[in-house]
Amino acid sequence: TPPAPVQPTLPDGTAILPCLDPPPAGLACIPGGAFLRGSDTGPKHSRPQATVWLQTFYMDLQEVTYSEYKACEKAKDCDHGGPQYLDFDHPKMPIQGVSWFHSRKYCQAFGKDLPTEAQWEKAARGPDGNLYPWGNEDATCERAIIMNDKGERGCGVLKKMEQPWKSKPWEIGSRPPYVYGLYDMAGNSWEW
């Protein structure tokens, strides 16, 4: 009889949980195990690069949209929050102008929580410590919503009203998914 396969474990001996197949709707499974966190050559706050171990976890495939957040407010499950700028309130745009506390309360209203810093970094970079969610190639407007080569924010899409050159976020999922099938893990808007 062949020996039973060895169950992968964390360094403390805890079994690494397998990903559900299929994962729950709207979620991506980030498999437990080691990943490279930080950088030896980046900003001081990212040094030193180290191997970090995490248990399997799940993340939403998409950012929370303006309309999703406002629906949570309307249901009285979320605190009032939102964009402080004109033209940032399109239904499919990522919600802007919410605090960490607002973000966490939104997650908890749906039985979830914000990822830890280590969880977010593994989900964004993958297990190998890539510079970006798509790998180590330079950021371009084809890969993420960033400042374009003309120095225009949001890859050059202007916002309405005052200071249009400051641009606005794009709708969620405007670029291909990255590692683990997650969208918008780089560019477009700041995230908690």
Side-chain angles (χ1 to χ4, degrees), residues 104-124:
R104 186 158 195 233
K105 189 170 182 179
Y106 177 90
C107 292
Q108 291 173 336
F110 295 93
K112 303 174 186 179
D113 207 342
L114 290 172
T116 65
E117 182 180 345
Q119 288 173 329
W120 193 92
E121 187 168 341
K122 182 175 183 182

Side-chain angles (χ1 to χ4, degrees), residues 3 7 19 24 36 59-60 72 81 86 95 123 149 153 171 183:
Q7 173 79 26
C19 288
L36 291 176
M59 283 190 64
D60 287 340
C72 188
L86 295 173
I95 186 69
D149 54 5
R153 295 180 189 174
E171 289 188 358
Y183 291 84

Side-chain angles (χ1 to χ4, degrees), residues 2 10 14 19-20 24 47-48 66 69 76 94 97 101 122 135 144 159 175 186 188:
L10 299 171
T14 303
C19 288
L20 297 175
R47 296 179 195 176
Y66 176 84
Y69 192 86
K76 300 192 183 321
F101 297 100
K122 182 175 183 182
K159 70 176 188 146
R175 295 295 179 265
N188 207 26

Side-chain angles (χ1 to χ4, degrees), residues 163-184:
Q163 302 176 332
W165 62 89
K166 289 191 175 177
S167 188
K168 62 184 178 182
W170 290 39
E171 289 188 358
I172 63 167
S174 295
R175 295 295 179 265
Y178 307 125
V179 65
Y180 304 118
L182 300 170
Y183 291 84
D184 301 313

Side-chain angles (χ1 to χ4, degrees), residues 5-90:
V6 176
Q7 173 79 26
T9 62
L10 299 171
D12 69 359
T14 303
I16 295 175
L17 300 173
C19 288
L20 297 175
D21 187 21
L27 298 175
C29 181
I30 316 303
F35 81 102
L36 291 176
R37 178 180 178 187
S39 167
D40 289 330
T41 58
K44 284 186 180 184
H45 69 271
S46 70
R47 296 179 195 176
Q49 187 172 69
T51 299
V52 174
W53 289 78
L54 292 174
Q55 182 58 271
T56 299
F57 64 99
Y58 294 84
M59 283 190 64
D60 287 340
L61 293 170
Q62 303 273 4
E63 296 171 305
V64 175
T65 64
Y66 176 84
S67 64
E68 290 169 331
Y69 192 86
K70 292 302 174 181
C72 188
E73 271 184 29
K74 187 175 181 179
K76 300 192 183 321
D77 291 329
C78 294
D79 296 327
H80 178 72
Q84 305 298 312
Y85 302 105
L86 295 173
D87 209 23
F88 279 53
D89 59 354
H90 298 257

